[in-house]
């Protein structure tokens, strides 16, 4: 970022010396949205980054023409953000487009995760909505017209958004984008494994299967008995082959969701053959010898008594000793052998735009600035070099794990894994999960359970689609 800041300081000096680019305030019309230069211009040739006013006259997040900041016109220099804590700028050394390019300021409205929707509705009805709400939207807020379509304010065809266009397309509801993010979340379902156990037992690793294109449900389940150690044959393994704690971890690898959104159509997909296969496979796995499916699996995995653990990314907090020994492996959830490609679950959203926001273009600048900074940080060689120069312990303290494991995670989430947007959480699937998974675990056939679940879920969907 030091290199980027130097480039920006140089360009901004020339902007002020030779070109006046207004990105202003609709009330006065004369506010300059570019930062005040901190240095006098030098003899470098001027570059016009604005493309006739489409962009701010600044280089992009990587210092060139790519990833430039679009120009917006604001009704105010203040952007009101509903969040669960006060937003305060602490790092004044890092270029932040929100402050330094668009010259905006935050005002925070505090709302906890449990009361944010209720508080938002009260503010909306009083015509005092924030400009950005940091929560996942509910469909009835769209149906009632409480939220705006982000695509009316953000041009996702710009280079800034190129890496997540598929995620954006998969997240459209009624033709609009009502939940915005600067990157998708794909960290809920993956497999951690203990390299030392695999080496000690002489078992082929998940990474080896993955490299040969053969990491799937079949090879995954074949590993469980090979990794289970019950030396005294008392039925309580000293090492479990696998632990699972989320019954949905295989569901999306079939490429299908419990509910499908296709334009204006919302389709109850509970009777799908692929949904049945995902649930039945989960039941088969849990019922295998050597599988732990109860209680705290994080601690025993970190202590070396579980070989593989189905886990979200944040479970890494229990693996620091393994990470220090370079003993933690991670791979994506195994592929459905009958699927046409490698599917991975994805959620996208977390930022909503009220339809009566006073400064919607300020909201667009807020989101755009976050995206710019994410790209800039990811492509900052100095920042990476600083992390790599830290000891393993220091990397863990700073990031939760190592640069190498973060690179591995990014590889797992690369474009070769096709995202399946998880709509079920938007349509409140949680109330039915007990019936969907635990009844089959007790031996009740899914074919029987689904005939009760399907109409119950249909009622939930229809209620969510009601405008009043």
């Amino acid at each position: 970022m030091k290199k980027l800041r130097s480039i920006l300081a140089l360009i901004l000096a020339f902007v002020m010396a030779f070109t006046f680019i207004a990105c202003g305030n609709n009330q006065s019309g004369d506010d300059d949205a570019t930062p005040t230069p901190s240095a006098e211009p030098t003899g470098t040739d001027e570059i016009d980054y604005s493309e006739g006013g489409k962009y701010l006259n600044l280089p992009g997040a990587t210092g060139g023409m790519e990833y430039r900041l679009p120009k917006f016109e604001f009704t105010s220099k203040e952007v009101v953000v509903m969040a669960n804590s006060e937003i305060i700028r602490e790092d004044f050394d890092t270029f932040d487009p929100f402050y330094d390019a668009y010259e905006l300021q935050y005002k925070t409205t505090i709302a906890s995760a449990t009361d944010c929707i209720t508080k938002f509705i009260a503010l909306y009805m009083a015509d005092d909505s924030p400009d950005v709400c940091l929560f996942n939207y509910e469909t009835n807020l769209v149906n009632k017209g409480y939220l705006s379509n982000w695509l009316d304010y953000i041009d996702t065809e710009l280079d800034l958004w190129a890496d997540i266009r598929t995620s954006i397309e998969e997240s459209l509801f009624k033709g609009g984008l009502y939940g915005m993010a600067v990157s998708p979340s794909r960290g809920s379902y993956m497999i951690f494994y203990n390299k030392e156990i695999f080496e000690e037992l002489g078992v082929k690793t998940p990474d080896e299967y993955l490299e040969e294109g053969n990491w799937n449900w079949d090879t995954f389940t074949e590993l469980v008995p090979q990794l289970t150690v019950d030396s005294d044959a008392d039925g309580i393994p000293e090492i479990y082959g696998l632990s699972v704690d989320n019954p949905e971890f295989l569901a999306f690898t079939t490429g299908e969701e419990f509910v499908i959104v296709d334009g204006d159509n919302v389709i109850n997909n509970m009777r799908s053959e692929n949904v049945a296969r995902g649930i039945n496979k989960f039941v088969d796995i849990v019922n295998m010898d050597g599988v732990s499916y109860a209680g705290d699996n994080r601690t025993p995995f970190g202590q070396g008594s579980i070989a593989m653990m189905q886990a979200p990314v944040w479970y890494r907090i229990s693996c620091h000793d393994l990470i220090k020994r370079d003993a933690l492996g991670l791979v994506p959830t195994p592929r459905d052998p009958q699927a046409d490609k490698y599917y991975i679950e994805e959620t996208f959203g977390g930022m909503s735009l009220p339809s009566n926001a006073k400064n919607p273009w300020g909201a667009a600048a807020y989101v755009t600035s976050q995206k710019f900074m994410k790209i800039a940080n990811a492509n900052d060689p100095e920042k990476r070099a600083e992390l790599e120069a830290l000891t393993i312990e220091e990397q863990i303290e700073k990031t939760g794990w190592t640069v190498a494991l973060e690179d591995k995670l990014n590889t797992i989430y690369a474009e070769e894994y096709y995202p399946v947007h998880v709509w079920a959480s938007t349509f409140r699937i949680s109330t039915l999960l007990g019936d969907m998974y635990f009844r089959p675990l007790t031996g009740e056939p899914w074919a029987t359970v689904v005939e009760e679940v399907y109409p119950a879920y249909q009622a939930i969907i229809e209620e969510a689609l009601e405008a009043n």
Side-chain angles (χ1 to χ4, degrees), residues 229-269:
V229 177
D230 184 7
S231 301
D232 55 9
D234 64 353
I236 303 175
E238 292 80 51
I239 297 177
Y240 284 87
L242 171 69
S243 69
V244 295
D245 67 1
N246 193 316
E248 297 177 90
F249 84 104
L250 291 178
F252 311 109
T253 63
T254 67
E256 291 190 17
E257 240 271 57
F258 304 126
V259 59
I260 297 171
V261 175
D262 182 13
D264 290 344
N265 297 320
V266 179
I267 303 165
N268 185 343
N269 198 42

Side-chain angles (χ1 to χ4, degrees), residues 108-230:
T108 313
T109 296
I110 306 297
S112 69
T114 56
D115 72 355
C116 59
I117 299 294
T118 302
K119 185 168 184 176
F120 163 67
I121 292 174
L123 291 170
Y124 186 95
M125 300 305 293
D127 196 27
D128 192 26
S129 290
D131 299 310
V132 183
C133 295
L134 302 188
F135 59 63
N136 288 316
Y137 75 92
E138 295 182 355
T139 52
N140 64 348
L141 297 180
V142 178
N143 301 332
K144 293 178 180 180
Y146 290 180
L147 301 180
S148 286
N149 180 1
W150 280 108
L151 300 182
D152 291 338
Y153 298 93
I154 294 176
D155 182 1
T156 56
E157 293 303 310
L158 299 182
D159 288 342
L160 269 172
W161 307 99
D163 63 322
I164 60 171
R165 284 200 192 110
T166 299
S167 300
I168 290 171
E169 291 169 3
E170 292 289 324
S171 305
L172 298 180
F173 176 62
K174 294 188 173 182
L177 184 67
Y178 296 96
M180 190 55 175
V182 298
S183 62
S185 174
R186 299 177 181 174
S188 297
Y189 310 104
M190 58 195 316
I191 303 298
F192 287 5
Y193 69 93
N194 186 322
K195 295 179 185 179
E196 293 172 339
I197 295 175
F198 277 81
E199 183 176 357
E200 182 180 347
L201 297 177
V203 177
K204 189 173 180 178
T205 70
D207 269 305
E208 290 175 306
Y209 282 112
L210 187 64
E211 288 169 9
E212 67 186 27
N214 196 27
W215 177 236
N216 57 47
W217 292 1
D218 297 334
T219 52
F220 174 56
T221 52
E222 287 169 4
L223 284 175
V224 174
Q226 298 178 51
L227 296 163
T228 301
V229 177
D230 184 7

Side-chain angles (χ1 to χ4, degrees), residues 311-347:
V313 172
W314 70 268
Y315 276 21
R316 64 190 180 188
I317 63 173
S318 65
C319 304
H320 289 172
D321 288 341
L322 293 176
I323 295 170
K324 291 174 185 177
R325 302 198 303 269
D326 190 27
L328 179 67
L330 67 151
V331 290
T333 306
R335 185 175 67 85
D336 174 6
Q338 294 186 29
D340 58 348
K341 61 185 67 156
Y342 204 117
Y343 293 99
I344 191 165
E345 52 73 35
E346 173 178 288
T347 56

Side-chain angles (χ1 to χ4, degrees), residues 291-304:
V291 175
S292 173
Y293 181 59
D296 172 25
N297 289 313
R298 299 190 303 275
T299 300
F301 176 80
Q303 294 173 344

